[in-house]
Amino acid sequence: MIAPQASAESVPQFAQVAIPIHLRKLFTYRVPASMRVSIRVGSRVMVQLGTKSMAGYIVALLPRLRTGTSLIESEIKDVQELLDVDPPLTSEVLELTRWVADYYAAPWGEVLRAALPAGINATVEQTISITEKGQREIHNLAIDDGKHRALSLLENEGEFELNAFLLRIGSSRTPRWLPELEADELIERRYRTRKTATRAKHRRAVRLLRDAGISSEAGRTEAQRRALDVLTRHGGALAVASLTEQAQISDSVIKTLIKNGLVVEFDEQLRRDPLAHASLPDTDQLALTSAQKTALHSIEKPLAEGAFATLLLHGVTGSGKTEVYLQAMHRALELNRGAMMLVPEISLTPILSRRLRAHFGDQIAIFHSSLSKGERFDEWSRLRAGEARVVLGTRSAVFAPVKDLGLIVIDEEQDSSYRQEESPFYHARDTAIVRAQKESAVVVLGSATPSLESFHHAQSGKYQYLQLPDRIANRPLARAELIDMREVFARHKKPVVFSDELLEAMGQTHARKEQTIILLNRRGYSSFILCRSCGESIDCPNCDVTLTYHRSDRTLVCHYCNHRQRAPSECPNCSSKYIYYVGEGTEQVEELLRKRFPQMRIGRIDRDTKARRREFEQTLLDFGNGDIDLLVGTQMLAKGHDFPNVTLVGVVSVDAGLALPDFRAAERSFQLITQVAGRAGRGDLPGRVLIQTYHPHHYALRHATAQDYRGFYDEEIRHRSNLGFPPFVALALLLVRHKDPARARTIAQQLRNFLAEANRDHACRILGPAPAPFARLRNEHRMQILIKSRSRKQMRAVIDEAMLKFEEAGGESRMISLEIDPVNMM
Ligand code: ADP
Ligand code: ZN
Ligand code: ZN
């Protein structure tokens, strides 16, 4: 038979595979004849890389090798195994991950792995064993033949993991005769997931084949009759386990019924539903306020037109943004398109999940970080199959396989948890905008305190600007007041953690049977110097960020440009001798409060307790139920939660946040205070916010207490422009890690030289190398280089050229990570 010309052209001979390792390249494998029909782009395969078998993702199939390739055809290895019949990756997700890999200079394989639910990616191992045919034919082989040795080993000791087997026969690579044994069916190769991979869950069930009334037919035993009755009562089908229990019968009764053709056995697919037993809130259709209506109409317009648009929805906390998102999502579904809502890690509370489930029922899939792998897999599968059309999730849900995506909502778009802080570094908000553009969808960025970048784009007209200026029912926002700790210090003649004003307010709040949140804005690692008399910290003369104190050699260091100076013994600003290192921990603060208010029930939440997730959730629930009077915690308490009985929020040390050596320190502090103010007085009771600071005239604090976003923006954007920070320049951060500090410095310097060489047009400013803010982490020494440029394209060209030269010179690229658009400069 002669195959038609066209199909011979399209028969896949080679596969390009992205493998999740640190190398930014694709690998080519030959598609064996047996797989040519079923292999698809987007499926996972097992391939050999070096001596290891690894799972990879097919990103392209080729009828022949590309011309000009350096590959030698005879050296190309076969794809070992095809792992999927239905590709888990849609063409949209492949496209998007390709963009992410490109833009963030990340290995495509790593991005693909991040895009799929954990569990589907379990590591796979190969085992080999002897077949029956092998056992028969072993005697026909010569004893000194390698094949004979291998077969006897398998016969005597049973199944082997491939690498263990190779070790045993003293071979470092797969010997040529192994595939021959396999081709002759003398041995068998199997793929096993090391950690059991997550898949759909099934259970045995039976179904009636004939109609009702059969249980009373003659010839039935009593047990058979009971079984048939129970089945009929349950609509004709039931899991085997339930049937044996309810009808009080043994398995053999069911076997007989099957044999007699009365019932048939089938595999029932179970759905692991994270909200199976949750009680859901009511979903009254609220009559929208006129501001909400205007916002909704602006979203609906491009949605109905099928056009790409990005809108910034700027609304104070409690202004009804979520209601607008919900109705816009309903609108997308009515237009027969899918929808996605991304939320920051911390705010994907049980409350929000239930609220959305109540609205969208089975149409919604929820990706929650405390789901089991099984639940996550099932939720993902329902989207992939098109059974669910809406997804609610955190960062990685941006890659969810939503069909015909029409709308993406990003709540709290300024939140830094949208940035993945490990490879592949990507920003879910920016990725979502690109996804929307590719799929002609609408993006709504929602926030009470938009990021400087997003507001800047709204100003320039790149995004459409929508506003909800007032709280629903005109509930007042909490008043924020600054407490000047310099005065408190002067009064007490020694540094104190709590001002009298804040202590008094805590007592009063408790007396009124209302609740308090005490917030410590401190991350526990940054040491810096602050003057208790004038409130100034000491900044870098070049970078305008706070210098970090290094205790070991009593120096102050800039983590951007490596400027160093000796720690002074008196304040350079006011000559006071009361300069001080900042930092109290949540535990000490909790202790202090317990002593001061023995009758109060006090709870604590911080990073340590967050690791113990159950305890963390229980504390929040207890606080919500009123079983805790006062909650102490870090900034994670500032976001999202809605506790109507909280009327006092105290911020103990806002200065620690202001002084972080990060150009976004002021922006973060402004956002924090605005969010905190949104926590107090959510219900009908008025709220009060007290902020302790040594720096009451700082512009971020002034504008935050006045609730003046615009005032803050205008001032901050000027700084960014003057000092050359985003959104006016593109940033990249190169981090060098090494166990040996001298090596780390040498590598960083070498890299810097290559960068300087590639920067011949002076398109970039290259700062550093300087020690990273965590100069030593997990026993590795860390040096960083910061690169700024007004041209993103030129910046990438410079970095790519320098990295290439570095690798060609034998540099260890494994020791280097590159972050494009870094968010957390810490
Ligand atoms: P945000 O997301 O901006 O913080 P929400 O959408 O959660 O605000 O709304 C705050 C509160 O106001 C919620 O309890 C919500 O049910 C209620 N709400 C929102 N819109 C309306 C409306 N149009 N009429 C009455 N209540 C509303
Ligand atoms: Zn001073
Ligand atoms: Zn500096």
Side-chain angles (χ1 to χ4, degrees):
M1 201 173 78
I2 301 163
Q5 204 83 39
S7 83
E9 274 296 288
S10 58
V11 170
Q13 305 281 349
F14 298 97
Q16 284 199 304
V17 179
I19 301 177
I21 53 171
H22 79 286
L23 292 175
R24 274 167 61 195
K25 60 183 267 198
L26 298 176
F27 297 85
T28 302
Y29 291 89
R30 187 189 313 279
V31 180
S34 61
M35 287 179 205
R36 283 187 193 145
V37 181
S38 40
I39 202 160
R40 299 265 182 288
V41 170
S43 285
R44 293 167 311 145
V45 284
M46 290 302 301
V47 290
Q48 196 181 342
L49 186 70
T51 57
K52 272 203 250 162
S53 268
M54 300 198 62
Y57 311 88
I58 299 182
V59 296
L61 289 167
L62 315 170
R64 72 187 81 79
L65 289 181
R66 300 219 158 102
T67 44
T69 174
S70 60
L71 291 168
I72 300 162
E73 212 174 316
S74 59
E75 288 179 1
I76 297 176
K77 297 192 187 82
D78 276 5
V79 170
Q80 292 175 327
E81 173 122 333
L82 180 63
L83 295 174
D84 301 297
V85 185
D86 293 322
L89 295 159
T90 62
S91 57
E92 290 86 5
V93 172
L94 271 174
E95 264 295 302
L96 186 66
T97 52
R98 202 229 306 255
W99 176 84
V100 168
D102 219 48
Y103 183 90
Y104 293 104
W108 195 357
E110 280 192 355
V111 181
L112 286 166
R113 182 170 57 185
L116 288 174
I120 203 173
N121 295 308
T123 50
V124 182
E125 66 179 14
Q126 289 182 63
T127 61
I128 53 172
S129 56
I130 189 165
T131 60
E132 277 178 32
K133 188 175 170 199
Q135 285 171 351
R136 268 183 272 121
E137 298 198 0
I138 184 168
H139 312 289
N140 303 335
L141 294 167
I143 295 230
D144 57 352
D145 192 337
K147 290 183 185 177
H148 185 276
R149 247 183 72 217
L151 285 177
S152 2
L153 194 58
L154 290 172
E155 179 164 59
N156 295 333
E157 301 193 20
E159 187 180 62
F160 267 90
E161 193 270 316
L162 183 63
N163 291 317
F165 181 76
L166 296 179
L167 258 167
R168 211 30 208 283
I169 58 170
S171 173
S172 63
R173 67 182 62 186
T174 312
R176 187 153 332 134
W177 43 259
L178 200 81
E180 289 172 13
L181 283 176
E182 207 180 345
D184 293 341
E185 297 175 2
L186 303 181
I187 63 167
E188 189 173 36
R189 207 195 285 238
R190 285 207 196 93
Y191 296 88
R192 268 225 196 115
T193 46
R194 197 167 298 156
K195 282 174 274 161
T196 23
T198 313
R199 28 181 125 238
K201 190 174 165 189
H202 293 271
R203 65 176 174 193
R204 276 175 64 217
V206 286
R207 184 185 301 122
L208 274 180
L209 277 180
R210 285 205 272 126
D211 270 352
I214 53 174
S215 73
S216 50
E217 282 170 17
R220 305 268 173 269
T221 65
E222 196 48 45
Q224 290 175 353
R225 212 166 267 156
R226 278 204 306 276
L228 294 169
D229 282 342
V230 168
L231 266 177
T232 312
R233 269 212 306 282
H234 283 86
L238 201 60
V240 168
S242 322
L243 180 57
T244 49
E245 192 196 308
Q246 293 192 27
Q248 309 235 305
I249 53 167
S250 67
D251 232 27
S252 68
V253 176
I254 297 177
K255 289 218 179 76
T256 316
L257 291 175
I258 294 170
K259 207 168 68 204
N260 296 345
L262 291 168
V263 304
V264 66
E265 195 175 21
F266 67 102
D267 257 348
E268 181 186 23
Q269 189 172 331
L270 289 181
R271 172 172 163 211
R272 288 155 290 196
D273 179 359
L275 288 176
H277 305 292
S279 60
L280 302 178
D282 296 332
T283 58
D284 323 319
Q285 275 282 4
L286 297 171
L288 295 185
T289 63
S290 67
Q292 283 173 318
K293 270 189 204 144
T294 309
L296 184 62
H297 285 154
S298 308
I299 299 166
E300 282 174 345
K301 190 167 173 286
L303 191 59
E305 289 166 359
F308 162 64
T310 308
L311 304 99
L312 176 62
L313 179 58
H314 186 185
V316 293
T317 46
S319 60
K321 293 186 295 296
T322 311
E323 203 54 40
V324 174
Y325 305 150
L326 285 168
Q327 301 216 11
M329 287 158 85
H330 276 295
R331 190 80 193 103
L333 287 178
E334 283 160 26
L335 292 165
N336 207 15
R337 302 193 62 185
M340 170 183 289
M341 178 165 168
L342 301 185
V343 291
E345 259 153 35
I346 200 68
S347 58
L348 186 41
T349 54
I351 297 166
L352 184 65
S353 317
R354 285 176 171 84
R355 188 164 165 198
L356 265 83
R357 173 56 74 79
H359 268 268
F360 299 106
D362 277 350
Q363 294 259 56
I364 191 166
I366 295 172
F367 292 177
H368 193 294
S369 52
S370 61
L371 297 191
S372 70
K373 275 188 186 163
E375 286 169 337
R376 212 179 288 217
F377 179 81
D378 285 1
E379 291 293 274
W380 179 87
S381 303
R382 292 193 312 114
L383 280 173
R384 181 71 186 87
E387 290 164 28
R389 311 257 353 237
V390 185
V391 64
L392 166 67
T394 48
R395 183 174 65 227
S396 68
V398 72
F399 299 112
V402 178
K403 285 221 165 108
D404 299 316
L405 186 61
L407 175 70
I408 306 179
V409 172
I410 319 251
D411 192 29
E412 304 286 352
E413 62 85 27
Q414 82 291 349
D415 197 281
S416 56
S417 75
Y418 285 124
R419 171 74 175 191
Q420 171 141 312
E421 293 292 353
E422 60 185 32
S423 184
F425 297 94
Y426 68 91
H427 200 297
R429 176 195 59 210
D430 302 347
T431 305
I433 293 172
V434 170
R435 180 165 183 176
Q437 190 167 22
K438 288 180 185 296
E439 300 187 40
S440 298
V442 175
V443 190
V444 178
L445 309 176
S447 178
T449 51
S451 63
L452 265 263
E453 285 88 343
S454 295
F455 196 80
H456 180 73
H457 291 321
Q459 291 291 300
S460 74
K462 192 171 165 195
Y463 301 167
Q464 198 181 330
Y465 183 68
L466 310 172
Q467 206 177 6
L468 299 178
D470 304 307
R471 276 190 160 181
I472 293 291
N474 285 322
R475 282 186 198 127
L477 280 162
R479 273 184 305 140
E481 304 154 46
L482 297 177
I483 297 173
D484 188 342
M485 292 302 278
R486 297 170 307 178
E487 285 172 17
V488 177
F489 174 72
R491 234 184 290 148
H492 287 261
K493 308 268 186 298
K494 64 168 196 223
V496 292
V497 177
F498 289 108
S499 59
D500 311 321
E501 293 90 329
L502 183 51
L503 287 172
E504 198 179 316
M506 285 188 246
Q508 288 167 354
T509 307
H510 187 236
R512 289 195 308 267
K513 299 196 168 25
E514 293 164 10
Q515 291 170 298
T516 300
I517 290 178
I518 295 295
L519 218 114
L520 260 93
N521 184 26
R522 173 164 189 280
R523 301 192 189 191
Y525 45 75
S526 155
S527 254
F528 65 97
I529 292 186
L530 184 83
C531 173
R532 298 261 184 206
S533 300
C534 75
E536 286 298 322
S537 54
I538 301 176
D539 289 349
C540 172
N542 311 322
C543 305
D544 204 24
V545 300
T546 315
L547 294 172
T548 301
Y549 179 62
H550 283 229
R551 213 167 286 263
S552 52
D553 52 1
R554 287 189 50 82
T555 51
L556 295 169
V557 180
C558 170
H559 289 297
Y560 286 9
C561 73
N562 206 23
H563 165 87
R564 285 161 191 266
Q565 64 185 65
R566 281 197 66 77
S569 54
E570 55 183 47
C571 173
N573 186 45
C574 74
S575 304
S576 152
K577 282 196 247 344
Y578 297 108
I579 51 176
Y580 218 83
Y581 316 113
V582 171
E584 298 90 13
T586 42
E587 245 176 281
Q588 289 94 299
V589 168
E590 186 192 0
E591 275 292 313
L592 238 144
L593 288 173
R594 277 188 202 286
K595 281 213 193 88
R596 170 79 195 215
F597 300 110
Q599 73 288 11
M600 267 192 217
R601 293 163 300 174
I602 296 174
R604 173 168 62 93
I605 275 184
D606 56 24
R607 262 189 211 189
D608 304 339
T609 52
K610 197 187 164 203
R612 298 187 297 262
R613 183 152 203 112
R614 292 268 296 279
E615 212 172 298
F616 171 78
E617 280 176 2
Q618 193 56 47
T619 306
L620 283 180
L621 282 175
D622 289 348
F623 191 59
N625 292 334
D627 295 331
I628 290 176
D629 301 312
L630 184 149
L631 195 55
V632 180
T634 48
Q635 47 268 50
M636 66 175 67
L637 267 182
K639 300 185 222 168
H641 309 293
D642 195 350
F643 302 113
N645 198 36
V646 171
T647 55
L648 175 67
V649 177
V651 182
V652 174
S653 50
V654 74
D655 303 317
L658 281 175
L660 287 177
D662 187 328
F663 72 90
R664 290 194 176 87
E667 182 182 5
R668 297 249 165 82
S669 301
F670 179 86
Q671 289 165 348
L672 177 84
I673 294 172
T674 313
Q675 279 165 348
V676 164
R679 285 321 105 208
R682 297 281 289 184
D684 297 326
L685 303 164
R688 195 168 172 212
V689 178
L690 296 177
I691 296 158
Q692 301 192 150
T693 177
Y694 284 90
H695 219 158
H697 301 297
H698 193 288
Y699 67 102
L701 302 188
R702 252 190 309 112
H703 292 301
T705 46
Q707 281 151 22
D708 179 9
Y709 178 85
R710 194 52 212 248
F712 171 73
Y713 172 82
D714 288 340
E715 202 155 333
E716 180 69 10
I717 203 80
R718 246 193 343 265
H719 287 299
R720 298 277 180 96
S721 173
N722 290 342
L723 293 163
F725 279 117
F728 300 99
V729 300
L731 279 189
L733 189 67
L734 274 160
L735 183 76
V736 176
R737 295 165 288 129
H738 207 285
K739 290 226 176 329
D740 175 3
R743 280 296 294 152
R745 276 195 300 275
T746 319
I747 294 174
Q749 192 54 51
Q750 202 183 1
L751 203 54
R752 148 119 219 174
N753 295 344
F754 282 125
L755 284 164
E757 202 184 302
N759 191 28
R760 55 189 78 79
D761 299 335
H762 305 284
C764 301
R765 272 195 71 195
I766 302 165
L767 299 167
F774 297 101
R776 194 157 165 234
L777 207 64
R778 286 177 225 106
N779 233 351
E780 283 176 329
H781 295 265
R782 296 148 52 96
M783 299 290 293
Q784 68 183 30
I785 300 172
L786 185 67
I787 303 154
K788 288 181 178 182
S789 179
R790 299 211 176 252
S791 158
R792 173 176 296 281
K793 215 169 123 202
Q794 280 176 293
M795 180 178 84
R796 268 306 287 281
V798 167
I799 294 172
D800 287 351
E801 182 187 325
M803 288 295 283
L804 194 70
K805 290 244 175 73
F806 175 79
E807 275 168 35
E808 280 169 2
E812 303 162 80
S813 61
R814 203 181 272 275
M815 296 291 125
I816 297 169
S817 58
L818 167 61
E819 264 194 79
I820 305 291
D821 303 343
V823 164
N824 193 346
M825 302 300 291
M826 295 302 294

